[in-house]
């Protein structure tokens, strides 16, 4: 299907992709305060960069709310990227040390542990 579009062949290692995704989710849940910090910093940077594009204060204030909402969406989506990179590194480490057969199993275990941790952390905050 997708490989018929391209004139060349490429292989996708589905085990590595699934393992990296599981590790990314686990790190995103386990390091939720870091995730919120990254999102906030990206949002601040987007708003700052957006302000530099306008020369008229009137035009800037007129569309400020819509642009800030859009910047918050972009920051939220892009905050996943560092966790995808860290998840890939963690998955590579598991594959290198334990073998490919353990990559998905350890990723699932990490997701469960980090999910329970996040639930406990939020319950403790309230």
């Amino acid at each position: 299907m997708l490989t018929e579009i391209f004139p060349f062949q490429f292989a996708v290692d589905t085990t590595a992709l699934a393992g990296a995704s599981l590790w990314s989710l686990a790190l995103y849940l386990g390091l939720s305060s870091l995730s919120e910090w990254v999102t906030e910093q990206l949002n601040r940077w987007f708003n700052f960069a957006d302000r530099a594009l306008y020369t008229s204060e009137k035009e800037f204030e007129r569309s400020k709310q819509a642009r800030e909402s859009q910047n918050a969406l972009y920051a939220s989506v892009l905050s996943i990227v560092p966790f995808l990179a860290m998840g890939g590194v963690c998955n590579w480490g598991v594959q290198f040390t334990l073998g490919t057969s353990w990559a998905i199993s350890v990723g699932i275990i990490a997701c469960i542990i980090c999910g329970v941790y996040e639930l406990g952390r939020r319950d403790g905050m309230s």
Side-chain angles (χ1 to χ4, degrees):
M1 293 185 291
L2 184 61
T3 57
E4 295 171 0
I5 296 172
F6 299 110
F8 52 86
Q9 297 260 337
F10 61 92
V12 176
D13 187 7
T14 55
T15 306
L17 188 62
S21 299
L22 287 168
W23 272 103
S24 299
L25 176 63
L27 292 171
Y28 193 80
L29 291 173
L31 302 173
S32 62
S33 58
L34 178 64
S35 168
E36 292 170 4
W37 182 81
V38 168
T39 304
E40 181 63 31
Q41 297 305 314
L42 282 170
N43 193 19
R44 286 179 55 206
W45 185 80
F46 285 149
N47 287 334
F48 173 75
D50 204 25
R51 174 64 184 111
L53 297 174
Y54 288 88
T55 56
S56 168
E57 184 71 30
K58 182 180 174 184
E59 180 64 28
F60 175 73
E61 291 298 328
R62 186 180 67 78
S63 60
K64 183 177 182 178
Q65 185 178 5
R67 283 182 289 102
E68 284 182 352
S69 298
Q70 185 178 13
N71 289 342
L73 173 70
Y74 291 156
S76 179
V77 170
L78 286 179
S79 69
I80 299 169
V81 173
F83 293 98
L84 286 172
M86 290 188 300
V89 170
C90 289
N91 184 58
W92 176 80
V94 170
Q95 282 185 348
F96 183 72
T97 56
L98 299 176
T100 57
S101 63
W102 281 92
I104 294 179
S105 300
V106 175
I108 291 172
I109 291 169
C111 281
I112 292 170
I113 290 171
C114 290
V116 169
Y117 168 75
E118 178 63 17
L119 287 173
R121 188 187 69 82
R122 287 188 184 196
D123 188 45
M125 289 177 64
S126 63

